[in-house]
Amino acid sequence: MSIVKINALTVPEEMRETLEQRFASRAGMVEGSDGFEWFELLRPLGGTDQYLVYTRWRSEEDFESWMRNSMENAHRAGGRPAAADSQAWTFEVIQQAAPKTD
């Protein structure tokens, strides 16, 4: 099954708009990557200053290939980092469900 990569970004209040604009300007950069399955940028609504960047990949190898080819350049081009800290997590999908269709 797929793997999920979550990057938990600690973003100060004054940098939230910058972070969101940077992700918006990158729209479409990952969608054509081999093995890419899903992306979500999750904004905190309360109780935390961490944004979550959720991506889902067919395999670890597909993710690593994308990191080598695309992600490094995107991070270099952004100027001052919007996040004060980040943590990267990896999960293997072992169960999943989708809404039923009639």
Side-chain angles (χ1 to χ4, degrees):
M1 285 204 145
S2 303
I3 64 155
V4 169
K5 297 289 186 170
I6 297 174
N7 196 356
L9 303 174
T10 303
V11 182
E13 181 77 31
E14 67 274 9
M15 295 302 291
R16 287 181 173 197
E17 186 176 334
T18 300
L19 178 87
E20 291 178 22
Q21 288 174 349
R22 287 182 184 168
F23 272 94
S25 71
R26 296 180 45 239
M29 289 182 65
V30 69
E31 287 87 333
S33 300
D34 191 39
F36 170 78
E37 296 178 353
W38 198 260
F39 163 84
E40 291 178 326
L41 175 61
L42 307 176
R43 177 193 298 145
L45 293 178
T48 184
D49 57 357
Q50 287 190 315
Y51 279 71
L52 298 181
V53 182
Y54 173 101
T55 57
R56 184 171 164 150
W57 298 87
R58 177 180 54 206
S59 69
E60 180 71 27
E61 293 76 20
D62 290 323
F63 172 76
E64 289 175 7
S65 176
W66 172 72
M67 284 290 289
R68 279 190 307 275
N69 297 328
S70 300
M71 210 42 202
E72 292 171 359
N73 293 332
H75 276 258
R76 274 191 229 118
R80 177 179 169 228
D85 188 34
S86 69
Q87 296 177 348
W89 305 325
T90 301
F91 297 88
E92 181 179 26
V93 177
I94 59 170
Q95 291 185 26
Q96 61 187 15
K100 292 181 181 181
T101 57
D102 295 324

